[in-house]
């Protein structure tokens, strides 16, 4: 369940901390009080697009924070793990989002920064939000199929089928491309051969560019290197006043000094090491200078090699590694074109095998759907009867597809006839907005046991229905509250009276600024709120409110 929702500087809300209970939570308030801000805050938590106009006037940023307590966090933990985050501790999940006027928006899950996509992925397992127009999603055949599949409990089978379908389509695409390559022009084949030969003839080696450049740098500067080596060895050992001759003079003095005072020997240990190292240095520099070869032909060869590599890089890749990858791909294409007859036969066989697997898995799913469709229809119809459609007809009609699709071998279309004697037609063609809201609630009620999303939010979906029907809608929401946390934002006292907990959104003007607040009402305060919603004379409205609460109890 959603245990706490904190909203700060969002639209009319300055600072609100809303602690929620389980079951059906009713939210009421006068039009314009700010009830829609709750939905807006939840949409931000679910990763929907943020608009800087939502920030409260005079503020730099707005923040929304939601704390969820999850009885089963497996699905959420899987999303967190994929995002490189730690799993929930004791089922606790905190989602926070900050919208800044400067555009530097931030979002966090359990204090770790995340992307908007992570919020969207988490949202699928946290909140199912339905507004006045969201019931239109029921018109989507894809959404209808998702509902039927949930009722049938075939998620694992669907995952296997989808994986098999993707393999089949990938192989079929590969076959199609190869068959089309049979019609490749001789010019295209010649181009592939030219590219492959040009790269192969260069005989590139991974990592050779650095070695070639190093050799070229030495060869191009051979004379200068020899000159520098000569200067070093000359200073170290040639002629009077050389460093090494000077060190020998110092060494003789040290030797005499140590004879007179052996205690000074330790003082000159570092000197002896330095003398040895400098002598070795002079020898190493001399050897290096001797090995230097100034070969104009070698310099020309190295420059030519560098030019060849640069030319290939301009045409086939930024590095030798990328050029070699291009060569491998070109050779693969050539091989497939030149041996396409054998390859086509192999792929044709594989396509048939994979299609057979798809059909096998698809038929298993089709049977499950065929079994579940009338059961779902019967379940929905029973809930529709509770919602005022006493003699309506509801059906989930399955139609076979001409070829397997990603979702299976058939499509579903919900049919509905709200009144007796009328032929059932596709739901999108028959139901009004008020009827659609009730159908949505009936479907949700039928799927209550299968629906793992813990929080259902209904934002005024009871609009366009009468008083008696509103009570039936409220009772259906209350029944959903037995297995889910349900937030019902409503204008109907019949619905609000059935809520396990009741909150009222109000607004006040202070210092020229409008501020919305939300507070729980109980006892006499709840009676007063229901009386306000009922209208009429104060006394009769209060009595009516009391009778509604008594009936709800």
């Amino acid at each position: 369940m959603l245990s706490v929702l904190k909203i700060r500087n969002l639209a009319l809300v300055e600072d609100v901390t809303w602690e929620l209970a389980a079951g059906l939570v009713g939210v009421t308030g006068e039009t314009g009080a700010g009830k829609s801000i709750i939905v807006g805050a939840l949409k931000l938590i679910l990763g929907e697009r943020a608009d800087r106009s939502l920030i409260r006037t005079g503020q730099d940023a707005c923040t929304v924070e939601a704390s969820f307590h999850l009885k089963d966090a497996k699905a959420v933990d899987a999303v967190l793990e994929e995002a490189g985050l730690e799993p929930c501790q004791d089922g606790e999940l905190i989602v926070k989002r900050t919208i800044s006027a400067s555009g530097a928006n931030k979002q966090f899950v359990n204090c770790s920064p995340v992307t908007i996509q992570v919020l969207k992925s988490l949202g699928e397992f946290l909140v199912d939000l339905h507004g006045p127009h969201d019931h239109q999603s029921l018109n989507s055949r894809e959404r209808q199929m998702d509902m039927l599949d949930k009722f049938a409990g075939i998620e694992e089978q669907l995952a296997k089928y989808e994986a098999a379908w993707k393999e089949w389509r990938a192989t079929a695409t590969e076959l199609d491309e190869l068959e089309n390559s049979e019609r490749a022009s001789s010019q295209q084949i010649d181009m592939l051969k030219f590219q492959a030969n040009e790269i192969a003839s260069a005989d590139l080696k991974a990592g050779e560019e650095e070695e070639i450049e190093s050799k070229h740098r030495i060869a191009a500067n051979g004379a200068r290197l020899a000159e520098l080596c000569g200067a070093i060895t000359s200073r170290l050992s040639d002629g009077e006043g050389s460093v090494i001759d000077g060190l020998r003079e110092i060494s003789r003095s040290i030797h005499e000094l140590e004879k007179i005072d052996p205690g000074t020997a330790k003082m000159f240990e570092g000197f002896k090491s330095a003398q040895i190292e400098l002598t070795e240095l002079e020898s190493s520099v001399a050897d290096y200078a001797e090995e230097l070869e100034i070969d104009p032909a070698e310099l020309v060869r190295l420059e030519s090699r560098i030019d060849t590599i640069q030319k290939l890089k301009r045409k086939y890749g930024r590095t030798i590694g990328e050029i070699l990858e291009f060569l491998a791909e070109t050779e693969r294409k050539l091989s497939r074109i030149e041996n396409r007859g054998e390859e086509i036969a192999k792929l044709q066989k594989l396509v048939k095998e994979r299609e057979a697997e798809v059909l096998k898995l698809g038929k298993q799913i089709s049977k499950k759907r065929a079994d579940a469709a009338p059961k779902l229809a019967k379940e929905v119809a029973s809930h529709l009867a509770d919602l005022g459609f006493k003699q309506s007809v509801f059906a989930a009609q399955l139609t076979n597809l001409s070829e397997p699709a990603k979702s299976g071998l058939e499509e579903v279309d919900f049919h509905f006839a709200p009144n007796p004697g009328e032929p059932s037609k596709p739901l999108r063609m028959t139901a009004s907005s008020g009827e659609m809201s009730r159908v949505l609630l009936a479907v949700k009620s039928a799927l209550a046991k299968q629906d793992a999303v813990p929080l259902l939010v209904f934002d005024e979906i009871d609009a366009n229905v009468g008083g008696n029907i509103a009570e039936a809608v409220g009772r259906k929401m209350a029944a959903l509250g037995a297995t889910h946390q349900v937030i019902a934002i409503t204008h109907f006292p019949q619905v609000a009276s059935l809520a396990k907990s009741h909150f009222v959104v109000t607004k006040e003007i202070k210092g020229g600024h409008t501020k919305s607040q939300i507070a729980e009402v109980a006892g006499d305060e709840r009676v007063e709120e229901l009386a306000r919603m009922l209208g009429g004379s104060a006394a009769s409205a209060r009595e009516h409110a009391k009778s509604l609460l008594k009936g709800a109890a």
Side-chain angles (χ1 to χ4, degrees):
M1 56 175 274
L2 173 65
S3 53
V4 180
L5 181 64
K6 296 180 181 180
I7 308 172
R8 185 175 177 83
N9 294 326
L10 178 67
L12 296 179
V13 172
E14 183 177 64
D15 192 357
V16 161
T17 297
W18 185 24
E19 296 184 10
L20 291 83
L24 176 60
V25 179
V27 179
T28 63
E30 294 183 355
T31 301
K35 298 187 295 299
S36 61
I37 296 172
I38 294 170
V39 175
L42 286 173
K43 284 182 176 180
L44 289 178
I45 290 296
L46 299 179
E48 290 204 11
R49 192 177 75 84
D51 190 336
R52 279 177 284 182
S53 64
L54 294 171
I55 301 172
R56 183 173 169 80
T57 303
Q59 300 298 320
D60 297 327
C62 65
T63 301
V64 178
E65 183 178 320
S67 298
F68 293 91
H69 180 73
L70 306 174
K71 186 176 180 182
D72 183 357
K74 288 178 185 174
V76 166
D77 283 345
V79 175
L80 295 177
E81 184 179 352
E82 189 174 341
L85 303 175
E86 292 293 320
C88 296
Q89 295 297 318
D90 300 322
E92 295 297 326
L93 181 77
I94 300 174
V95 181
K96 183 177 180 179
R97 191 168 177 193
T98 299
I99 312 303
S100 171
S102 65
N105 302 336
K106 297 176 182 178
Q107 44 279 331
F108 301 88
V109 173
N110 289 343
C111 300
S112 296
V114 296
T115 63
I116 286 293
Q117 190 53 52
V118 171
L119 293 193
K120 288 181 178 179
S121 299
L122 286 171
E124 294 178 11
F125 300 102
L126 296 174
V127 182
D128 197 350
L129 197 154
H130 300 280
H133 305 292
D134 288 334
H135 53 67
Q136 292 170 2
S137 65
L138 263 182
N139 288 335
S140 162
R141 288 187 174 187
E142 184 179 339
R143 181 75 176 122
Q144 291 175 8
M145 183 63 83
D146 181 57
M147 291 175 170
L148 175 60
D149 290 341
K150 275 187 177 178
F151 187 81
I154 54 175
E155 284 86 352
E156 288 186 14
Q157 287 174 280
L158 274 170
K160 289 180 182 177
Y161 169 87
E162 187 175 329
W165 182 87
K166 285 179 178 177
E167 284 186 351
W168 169 56
R169 291 314 309 158
T171 309
T173 300
E174 193 176 354
L175 173 62
D176 186 52
E177 288 175 356
L178 187 55
E179 287 176 334
N180 287 335
S181 73
E182 279 198 279
R183 295 182 286 277
S185 67
S186 58
Q187 185 179 4
Q188 289 173 306
I189 295 171
D190 288 344
M191 174 59 75
L192 289 171
K193 286 181 177 178
F194 172 80
Q195 291 172 332
N197 289 336
E198 185 178 29
I199 298 172
S201 62
D203 194 26
L204 297 176
K205 302 290 188 299
E208 75 164 303
E209 188 175 10
E210 294 79 4
E211 183 183 349
I212 294 284
E213 287 177 349
S214 175
K215 287 181 177 179
H216 176 266
R217 192 165 53 250
I218 293 170
N221 295 279
R224 178 58 179 159
L225 290 171
E227 181 185 336
L228 292 170
C229 288
I232 293 169
T233 55
S234 175
R235 190 73 185 89
L236 283 172
S237 63
D238 290 350
E240 289 186 20
S242 69
V243 172
I244 291 177
D245 278 352
L247 290 173
R248 289 193 186 105
E249 288 294 327
I250 295 171
S251 181
R252 282 193 288 270
S253 298
I254 291 172
H255 184 64
E256 188 175 341
L257 182 62
E258 288 177 341
K259 278 184 177 181
I260 298 169
D261 184 1
T264 60
K266 193 171 182 180
M267 182 170 57
F268 296 111
E269 285 177 357
F271 170 80
K272 292 172 183 176
S273 299
Q275 185 180 19
I276 292 168
E277 287 181 10
L278 284 170
T279 302
E280 290 177 351
L281 173 63
E282 188 273 337
S283 178
S284 298
V285 172
D287 291 344
Y288 174 80
E290 236 178 82
E291 290 171 3
L292 280 174
E293 292 183 13
I294 303 174
D295 184 355
E298 175 65 6
L299 180 59
V300 170
R301 188 192 72 79
L302 291 170
E303 286 177 347
S304 175
R305 186 62 174 167
I306 289 172
D307 287 344
T308 298
I309 293 171
Q310 290 302 319
K311 179 183 175 183
L312 293 175
K313 283 170 69 175
R314 284 193 295 270
K315 295 172 72 173
Y316 304 117
R318 294 169 297 177
T319 65
I320 287 179
E322 288 183 7
I323 295 170
L324 293 174
E325 285 176 11
F326 185 92
L327 173 62
E329 177 63 18
T330 303
E331 289 176 336
R332 188 185 72 84
K333 287 179 181 177
L334 270 172
S335 174
R336 290 187 59 186
I337 291 172
E338 291 168 350
N339 303 292
R340 56 182 170 263
E342 182 182 335
E343 187 70 17
I344 284 172
K346 189 190 298 183
L347 284 174
Q348 285 173 336
K349 182 184 177 187
L350 189 56
V351 166
K352 286 181 180 178
E353 289 174 356
R354 289 184 171 173
E355 184 180 16
E357 179 67 12
V358 167
L359 291 172
K360 175 188 167 188
L361 294 172
K363 286 175 183 176
Q364 293 172 2
I365 289 170
S366 296
K367 185 178 186 309
K368 295 274 187 179
R369 285 171 173 167
D371 291 342
K375 295 176 184 176
L376 173 63
K378 184 179 179 181
E379 186 81 11
V380 172
S382 71
H383 290 292
L384 284 170
D386 296 339
L387 294 168
F389 295 108
K390 300 296 182 184
Q391 299 183 56
S392 65
V393 175
F394 185 89
Q397 294 191 5
L398 295 168
T399 306
N400 291 332
L401 296 170
S402 57
E403 68 170 22
K406 185 180 178 181
S407 58
L409 308 182
E410 59 277 310
E411 61 182 1
V412 69
D413 201 359
F414 287 175
H415 280 231
F416 180 57
N419 303 305
E422 295 179 355
S424 65
K425 295 179 182 178
L427 188 61
R428 59 188 173 278
M429 297 170 59
T430 55
S432 65
S433 61
E435 289 170 338
M436 284 289 279
S437 296
R438 283 183 277 168
V439 173
L440 171 68
L441 188 54
V443 173
K444 279 289 172 186
S445 299
L447 293 170
K449 292 179 182 177
Q450 290 81 16
D451 196 343
V453 178
L455 171 60
L456 305 178
V457 181
F458 295 105
D459 180 16
E460 298 185 8
I461 71 155
D462 50 13
N464 303 316
V465 298
N468 291 335
I469 300 301
E471 183 179 353
V473 167
R475 290 196 180 280
K476 196 59 66 178
M477 288 184 187
L480 276 172
T483 52
H484 297 72
Q485 184 185 37
V486 181
I487 297 175
I489 300 171
T490 180
H491 283 292
F492 276 94
Q494 294 91 338
V495 174
S497 66
L498 290 157
K500 190 174 180 181
S501 54
H502 185 171
F503 293 84
V504 178
V505 178
T506 58
K507 67 177 181 181
E508 60 180 356
I509 301 173
K510 278 188 177 181
H513 294 284
T514 304
K515 184 168 65 173
S516 289
Q517 295 285 349
I518 185 167
E520 186 172 8
V521 290
D524 289 342
E525 288 183 336
R526 189 174 187 186
V527 171
E528 289 299 322
E529 172 61 11
L530 293 174
R532 178 197 67 76
M533 298 171 74
L534 287 162
S537 68
S540 62
R542 277 196 293 273
E543 288 304 313
H544 192 179
K546 289 177 182 177
S547 68
L548 284 176
L549 289 171
K550 185 178 179 182

